Amino acid sequence: MYLNRESPIGVFDSGIGGLSVLRHVRTLLPNESLLYFADSGFAPYGEKPEAVIVERTVSIAAFLLTQNIKALVVACNTATAAAIAGLRSRYPDLPVVGVEPGLKPAAALTRSCTIGVLATANTLASEKFLKLQAQVAQDSGVNFLLQACNGLAHQIEKGELSSRETRQLVTQYVAPLVIQQADTLVLGCTHYPFVEPLIREAAGPNVRIVDTGEPVARQLRRVLEQHDLLRDASRTGQLLAYTTGSSSTLSLAFSKLLQLEATVHAVSSAQMTH
Ligand code: DGL
Protein backbone atom coordinates (compact mmCIF):
# COMPACT_ATOMS: atom_id res chain seq x y z
CA MET A 1 0.00 0.00 0.00
CA TYR A 2 1.52 3.34 -1.04
CA LEU A 3 0.63 6.20 1.33
CA ASN A 4 1.11 9.72 0.08
CA ARG A 5 1.71 12.61 2.47
CA GLU A 6 -0.49 14.85 0.33
CA SER A 7 -3.47 12.49 0.56
CA PRO A 8 -6.46 13.18 2.84
CA ILE A 9 -7.25 11.55 6.17
CA GLY A 10 -10.50 9.57 6.33
CA VAL A 11 -12.73 10.12 9.36
CA PHE A 12 -15.88 8.09 9.78
CA ASP A 13 -18.81 7.54 12.08
CA SER A 14 -22.25 5.96 11.94
CA GLY A 15 -23.52 9.49 11.34
CA ILE A 16 -22.78 13.01 12.50
CA GLY A 17 -21.19 12.02 15.84
CA GLY A 18 -17.69 11.88 14.38
CA LEU A 19 -17.92 15.61 13.73
CA SER A 20 -17.18 16.04 17.45
CA VAL A 21 -13.80 14.41 16.72
CA LEU A 22 -13.28 16.08 13.34
CA ARG A 23 -13.48 19.54 14.91
CA HIS A 24 -10.44 18.75 17.07
CA VAL A 25 -8.59 17.22 14.11
CA ARG A 26 -9.23 20.41 12.09
CA THR A 27 -7.95 22.58 14.92
CA LEU A 28 -4.84 20.52 15.60
CA LEU A 29 -4.00 19.65 11.99
CA PRO A 30 -5.19 22.59 9.87
CA ASN A 31 -2.87 21.65 6.98
CA GLU A 32 -4.45 18.23 6.52
CA SER A 33 -7.25 17.52 4.07
CA LEU A 34 -10.10 15.53 5.56
CA LEU A 35 -12.68 13.18 4.07
CA TYR A 36 -15.59 12.70 6.43
CA PHE A 37 -17.87 9.71 5.95
CA ALA A 38 -21.25 9.63 7.73
CA ASP A 39 -23.03 6.29 7.48
CA SER A 40 -26.31 8.00 8.31
CA GLY A 41 -28.30 5.68 6.05
CA PHE A 42 -27.41 2.89 8.50
CA ALA A 43 -27.27 4.84 11.80
CA PRO A 44 -27.52 4.29 14.65
CA TYR A 45 -24.99 1.47 15.14
CA GLY A 46 -25.45 1.32 18.89
CA GLU A 47 -28.03 -1.44 19.02
CA LYS A 48 -27.23 -3.27 15.75
CA PRO A 49 -25.70 -6.78 15.59
CA GLU A 50 -21.91 -6.72 15.69
CA ALA A 51 -21.63 -8.49 12.32
CA VAL A 52 -23.53 -5.62 10.65
CA ILE A 53 -21.21 -3.02 12.17
CA VAL A 54 -18.13 -4.97 11.09
CA GLU A 55 -19.51 -5.26 7.57
CA ARG A 56 -20.32 -1.53 7.37
CA THR A 57 -16.92 -0.58 8.75
CA VAL A 58 -15.05 -2.75 6.25
CA SER A 59 -17.08 -1.34 3.32
CA ILE A 60 -16.51 2.25 4.46
CA ALA A 61 -12.76 1.71 4.91
CA ALA A 62 -12.58 0.12 1.44
CA PHE A 63 -14.50 3.05 -0.07
CA LEU A 64 -12.27 5.62 1.62
CA LEU A 65 -9.21 3.77 0.38
CA THR A 66 -10.50 4.15 -3.18
CA GLN A 67 -10.46 7.89 -2.40
CA ASN A 68 -6.78 7.51 -1.60
CA ILE A 69 -6.69 8.19 2.16
CA LYS A 70 -3.35 8.01 3.99
CA ALA A 71 -4.85 7.28 7.44
CA LEU A 72 -8.22 6.40 8.92
CA VAL A 73 -9.89 7.70 12.08
CA VAL A 74 -12.70 5.49 13.32
CA ALA A 75 -14.55 8.34 15.04
CA CYS A 76 -17.12 6.00 16.52
CA ASN A 77 -16.76 4.13 19.81
CA THR A 78 -19.18 1.42 18.70
CA ALA A 79 -17.34 0.72 15.43
CA THR A 80 -13.96 0.88 17.16
CA ALA A 81 -15.06 -1.72 19.70
CA ALA A 82 -16.54 -4.03 17.08
CA ALA A 83 -14.23 -3.68 14.14
CA ILE A 84 -10.89 -1.96 14.67
CA ALA A 85 -8.90 -5.15 15.24
CA GLY A 86 -10.27 -6.60 11.99
CA LEU A 87 -9.51 -3.39 10.10
CA ARG A 88 -5.93 -3.36 11.32
CA SER A 89 -5.33 -6.93 10.26
CA ARG A 90 -6.97 -6.31 6.88
CA TYR A 91 -4.90 -3.17 6.23
CA PRO A 92 -1.69 -3.63 8.22
CA ASP A 93 0.07 -0.72 6.49
CA LEU A 94 -2.69 1.83 6.96
CA PRO A 95 -2.47 3.99 10.10
CA VAL A 96 -5.81 3.47 11.88
CA VAL A 97 -6.79 5.50 14.95
CA GLY A 98 -9.86 4.57 16.99
CA VAL A 99 -11.82 6.10 19.84
CA GLU A 100 -12.69 4.54 23.17
CA PRO A 101 -14.38 5.87 26.27
CA GLY A 102 -11.96 7.94 28.38
CA LEU A 103 -11.93 5.74 31.46
CA LYS A 104 -8.31 6.47 32.35
CA PRO A 105 -8.61 10.28 32.31
CA ALA A 106 -11.86 9.95 34.29
CA ALA A 107 -10.14 7.78 36.90
CA ALA A 108 -7.51 10.51 37.31
CA LEU A 109 -10.20 13.17 37.86
CA THR A 110 -12.74 11.53 40.18
CA ARG A 111 -12.78 12.28 43.90
CA SER A 112 -15.81 10.16 44.77
CA CYS A 113 -14.19 7.18 42.99
CA THR A 114 -17.45 6.70 41.11
CA ILE A 115 -17.59 7.34 37.39
CA GLY A 116 -20.60 7.17 35.09
CA VAL A 117 -20.00 5.93 31.55
CA LEU A 118 -22.51 6.99 28.90
CA ALA A 119 -22.23 4.95 25.70
CA THR A 120 -24.17 2.74 23.33
CA ALA A 121 -25.36 -0.69 24.47
CA ASN A 122 -22.96 -2.30 21.98
CA THR A 123 -19.91 -0.40 23.22
CA LEU A 124 -20.63 -1.27 26.85
CA ALA A 125 -21.16 -4.95 26.04
CA SER A 126 -18.03 -5.24 23.89
CA GLU A 127 -15.06 -7.33 24.91
CA LYS A 128 -12.73 -4.41 24.18
CA PHE A 129 -14.59 -2.10 26.57
CA LEU A 130 -14.99 -4.70 29.33
CA LYS A 131 -11.27 -5.40 29.23
CA LEU A 132 -10.46 -1.69 29.47
CA GLN A 133 -12.90 -1.25 32.33
CA ALA A 134 -11.43 -4.19 34.29
CA GLN A 135 -7.90 -2.90 33.75
CA VAL A 136 -8.61 0.69 34.83
CA ALA A 137 -10.73 -0.45 37.80
CA GLN A 138 -7.91 -2.72 38.94
CA ASP A 139 -5.21 -0.06 38.51
CA SER A 140 -7.11 2.81 40.13
CA GLY A 141 -9.70 1.19 42.40
CA VAL A 142 -12.53 3.32 40.98
CA ASN A 143 -16.06 2.11 40.42
CA PHE A 144 -17.73 2.44 37.01
CA LEU A 145 -21.47 2.79 36.54
CA LEU A 146 -22.33 1.81 32.97
CA GLN A 147 -25.28 3.50 31.33
CA ALA A 148 -26.42 2.47 27.85
CA CYS A 149 -28.14 5.49 26.32
CA ASN A 150 -30.53 3.79 23.91
CA GLY A 151 -32.12 6.22 21.50
CA LEU A 152 -29.88 9.19 22.32
CA ALA A 153 -27.62 9.01 19.22
CA HIS A 154 -30.79 8.74 17.14
CA GLN A 155 -32.17 11.97 18.61
CA ILE A 156 -28.89 13.74 17.83
CA GLU A 157 -28.86 12.27 14.34
CA LYS A 158 -32.32 13.82 13.85
CA GLY A 159 -30.86 17.21 14.85
CA GLU A 160 -32.85 17.28 18.11
CA LEU A 161 -30.16 18.70 20.35
CA SER A 162 -32.46 20.37 22.84
CA SER A 163 -35.98 19.02 22.26
CA ARG A 164 -38.16 17.92 25.15
CA GLU A 165 -37.75 14.27 24.21
CA THR A 166 -33.93 14.52 24.10
CA ARG A 167 -33.84 16.37 27.42
CA GLN A 168 -36.04 13.69 28.98
CA LEU A 169 -33.78 10.90 27.72
CA VAL A 170 -30.66 12.66 29.02
CA THR A 171 -32.23 13.20 32.44
CA GLN A 172 -33.38 9.60 32.58
CA TYR A 173 -29.83 8.37 31.92
CA VAL A 174 -27.80 10.91 33.88
CA ALA A 175 -29.83 11.52 37.06
CA PRO A 176 -29.45 7.98 38.49
CA LEU A 177 -25.66 8.18 38.05
CA VAL A 178 -25.45 11.40 40.03
CA ILE A 179 -27.70 9.94 42.74
CA GLN A 180 -25.23 7.05 43.01
CA GLN A 181 -22.42 9.59 43.65
CA ALA A 182 -20.82 9.72 40.21
CA ASP A 183 -18.79 12.94 40.12
CA THR A 184 -17.33 12.30 36.65
CA LEU A 185 -19.15 11.33 33.47
CA VAL A 186 -17.46 9.81 30.44
CA LEU A 187 -18.94 10.61 27.03
CA GLY A 188 -18.38 7.18 25.44
CA CYS A 189 -20.14 7.96 22.18
CA THR A 190 -19.01 10.63 19.74
CA HIS A 191 -22.57 11.89 19.28
CA TYR A 192 -22.92 12.91 22.94
CA PRO A 193 -20.68 16.02 22.99
CA PHE A 194 -23.43 17.67 20.94
CA VAL A 195 -25.82 17.38 23.88
CA GLU A 196 -23.21 18.26 26.49
CA PRO A 197 -25.25 21.31 27.61
CA LEU A 198 -28.18 18.99 28.44
CA ILE A 199 -25.86 16.53 30.17
CA ARG A 200 -24.39 19.36 32.26
CA GLU A 201 -27.85 20.60 33.12
CA ALA A 202 -28.93 17.11 34.28
CA ALA A 203 -25.67 16.40 36.13
CA GLY A 204 -25.31 19.69 37.99
CA PRO A 205 -22.31 21.99 38.38
CA ASN A 206 -20.05 19.67 40.37
CA VAL A 207 -19.84 16.85 37.88
CA ARG A 208 -16.95 16.71 35.40
CA ILE A 209 -17.39 15.55 31.87
CA VAL A 210 -14.73 13.65 29.93
CA ASP A 211 -14.67 13.68 26.15
CA THR A 212 -11.96 12.05 24.04
CA GLY A 213 -12.13 14.15 20.84
CA GLU A 214 -8.98 16.10 21.58
CA PRO A 215 -6.81 13.17 22.75
CA VAL A 216 -7.83 11.30 19.58
CA ALA A 217 -6.67 14.24 17.43
CA ARG A 218 -3.35 14.27 19.31
CA GLN A 219 -2.95 10.52 18.85
CA LEU A 220 -3.60 10.99 15.12
CA ARG A 221 -0.87 13.63 14.92
CA ARG A 222 1.57 11.30 16.72
CA VAL A 223 0.77 8.43 14.36
CA LEU A 224 1.18 10.63 11.26
CA GLU A 225 4.49 11.90 12.62
CA GLN A 226 5.71 8.34 13.21
CA HIS A 227 4.84 7.42 9.61
CA ASP A 228 6.31 10.65 8.26
CA LEU A 229 2.92 11.48 6.78
CA LEU A 230 2.31 14.98 8.13
CA ARG A 231 1.65 17.55 5.43
CA ASP A 232 3.78 20.65 5.10
CA ALA A 233 2.70 23.65 7.21
CA SER A 234 2.36 25.79 4.06
CA ARG A 235 -0.55 23.63 2.81
CA THR A 236 -4.22 24.38 3.36
CA GLY A 237 -6.45 21.50 4.37
CA GLN A 238 -9.57 20.81 2.30
CA LEU A 239 -12.78 19.34 3.60
CA LEU A 240 -14.95 16.89 1.69
CA ALA A 241 -17.73 14.69 3.02
CA TYR A 242 -19.69 11.61 1.99
CA THR A 243 -22.90 10.23 3.40
CA THR A 244 -25.13 7.22 2.87
CA GLY A 245 -27.97 9.44 4.14
CA SER A 246 -29.08 12.85 2.97
CA SER A 247 -26.37 15.20 1.75
CA SER A 248 -28.34 18.31 2.72
CA THR A 249 -28.71 17.00 6.30
CA LEU A 250 -24.96 16.45 6.57
CA SER A 251 -24.21 19.91 5.08
CA LEU A 252 -26.54 21.40 7.64
CA ALA A 253 -24.82 19.47 10.45
CA PHE A 254 -21.42 20.83 9.34
CA SER A 255 -22.65 24.41 9.37
CA LYS A 256 -24.80 24.15 12.49
CA LEU A 257 -22.48 22.08 14.68
CA LEU A 258 -19.05 23.17 13.45
CA GLN A 259 -19.69 26.41 11.56
CA LEU A 260 -17.92 24.85 8.59
CA GLU A 261 -18.79 24.64 4.93
CA ALA A 262 -18.17 21.20 3.43
CA THR A 263 -18.83 19.80 -0.02
CA VAL A 264 -21.01 16.76 0.64
CA HIS A 265 -21.61 13.86 -1.76
CA ALA A 266 -24.26 11.19 -1.31
CA VAL A 267 -22.87 7.66 -1.73
CA SER A 268 -25.01 4.77 -2.93
CA SER A 269 -24.54 1.15 -1.88
CA ALA A 270 -23.43 0.34 -5.44
CA GLN A 271 -20.45 2.69 -5.04
CA MET A 272 -19.47 0.89 -1.87
CA THR A 273 -19.26 -2.76 -2.85
CA HIS A 274 -15.87 -4.12 -1.98
N1 DGL B 1 -21.20 7.78 17.45
C1 DGL B 1 -21.16 6.41 17.73
C2 DGL B 1 -20.29 6.04 18.91
O1 DGL B 1 -19.36 6.76 19.21
C3 DGL B 1 -22.34 5.52 17.55
C4 DGL B 1 -23.70 6.00 17.80
C5 DGL B 1 -24.67 5.08 17.15
O2 DGL B 1 -24.62 5.02 15.92
O3 DGL B 1 -25.43 4.41 17.86
O4 DGL B 1 -20.49 5.06 19.54
Side-chain angles (χ1 to χ4, degrees), residues 13-15 17-18 43-47 75-79 99 120 123 153 188-191:
D13 178 48
S14 62
Y45 283 1
E47 294 139 62
C76 174
N77 292 264
T78 311
V99 290
T120 67
T123 295
C189 168
T190 54
H191 279 74

Side-chain angles (χ1 to χ4, degrees), residues 78-195:
T78 311
T80 299
I84 203 164
L87 270 187
R88 287 188 170 130
S89 56
R90 202 177 176 109
Y91 303 113
D93 299 329
L94 178 72
V96 178
V97 173
V99 290
E100 63 185 9
L103 303 192
K104 257 191 246 167
L109 282 175
T110 183
R111 302 227 171 98
S112 66
C113 288
T114 304
I115 294 164
V117 185
L118 306 168
T120 67
N122 274 343
T123 295
L124 297 178
S126 70
E127 205 182 307
K128 197 169 183 334
F129 174 79
L130 293 172
K131 233 165 115 180
L132 175 71
Q133 183 200 2
Q135 187 63 53
V136 179
Q138 191 186 23
D139 292 348
S140 61
V142 302
N143 177 30
F144 290 106
L145 306 172
L146 311 186
Q147 180 62 62
C149 300
N150 295 347
L152 186 54
H154 182 57
Q155 288 298 108
I156 297 163
E157 214 38 46
K158 286 194 292 180
E160 290 194 26
L161 304 185
S162 55
S163 69
R164 205 166 56 119
E165 207 181 331
T166 307
R167 181 173 270 114
Q168 263 168 7
L169 267 185
V170 168
T171 306
Q172 175 194 325
Y173 295 137
V174 169
L177 302 175
V178 179
I179 290 169
Q180 290 171 84
Q181 306 303 321
D183 68 349
T184 307
L185 295 180
V186 174
L187 305 186
C189 168
T190 54
H191 279 74
Y192 303 165
F194 295 123
V195 290

